[in-house]
């Protein structure tokens, strides 16, 4: 069952918004490649905030993301950009499968 009545706390929402906005400001002066790390960090933060509320396949996805994303992102500080690109692609594909399953479940419930 998909829960639609879950949300971040106000403190979590403020933290995430503050991080995104200050990241945007920082990117005006930082090197271009920092943008990828900032976006990935925001996704990692949101995953950590949401993981306790998730269940099933989504919970496993968020837990893995929270454990592996910092390690994978750290590799970009060296020369391992290809590995990080591959990791991001895999996580996007995995999330797309979860989203498709949820859409089907919602449309099945509406029928």
């Amino acid at each position: 069952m998909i829960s639609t009545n879950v949300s971040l706390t106000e403190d979590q929402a403020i933290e995430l918004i503050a991080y995104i906005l200050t990241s945007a400001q920082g990117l005006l002066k930082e090197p271009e490649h920092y943008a990828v790390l900032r976006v990935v960090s925001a996704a990692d933060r949101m995953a950590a905030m949401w993981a306790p509320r998730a269940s099933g396949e989504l919970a496993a996805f968020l837990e893995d993301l929270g454990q592996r994303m910092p390690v994978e992102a750290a590799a970009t500080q060296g020369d391992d950009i290809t590995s990080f690109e591959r990791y991001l692609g895999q996580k996007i594909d995995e999330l797309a499968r979860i989203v498709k399953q949820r859409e089907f479940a919602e449309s099945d419930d509406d029928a």
Side-chain angles (χ1 to χ4, degrees):
M1 180 177 162
I2 298 170
S3 180
T4 57
N5 295 324
V6 245
S7 63
L8 298 176
T9 66
E10 283 187 17
D11 287 348
Q12 290 171 324
I14 289 168
E15 178 185 337
L16 193 55
I17 291 167
Y19 179 80
I20 292 168
L21 292 177
T22 57
S23 291
Q25 182 183 39
L27 288 172
L28 295 172
K29 299 174 187 163
E30 294 172 344
E32 289 181 17
H33 73 277
Y34 280 27
V36 171
L37 299 176
R38 294 274 194 176
V39 171
V40 163
S41 182
D44 182 48
R45 287 170 184 247
M46 184 162 186
M49 291 174 185
W50 196 258
R53 297 166 176 84
S55 61
E57 194 174 6
L58 179 60
F61 172 83
L62 294 174
E63 183 178 334
D64 180 67
L65 192 69
Q67 291 176 359
R68 288 193 51 207
M69 185 63 77
V71 173
E72 296 291 338
T76 65
Q77 298 303 310
D79 295 327
D80 201 6
I81 301 296
T82 303
S83 174
F84 185 63
E85 288 174 346
R86 187 172 35 252
Y87 172 75
L88 279 179
Q90 290 169 351
K91 296 315 286 182
I92 290 167
D93 289 346
E94 187 178 337
L95 184 57
R97 283 191 297 278
I98 293 169
V99 168
K100 286 179 182 178
Q101 289 172 357
R102 293 175 67 90
E103 288 175 350
F104 290 134
E106 286 177 16
S107 63
D108 289 344
D109 290 343
D110 293 338

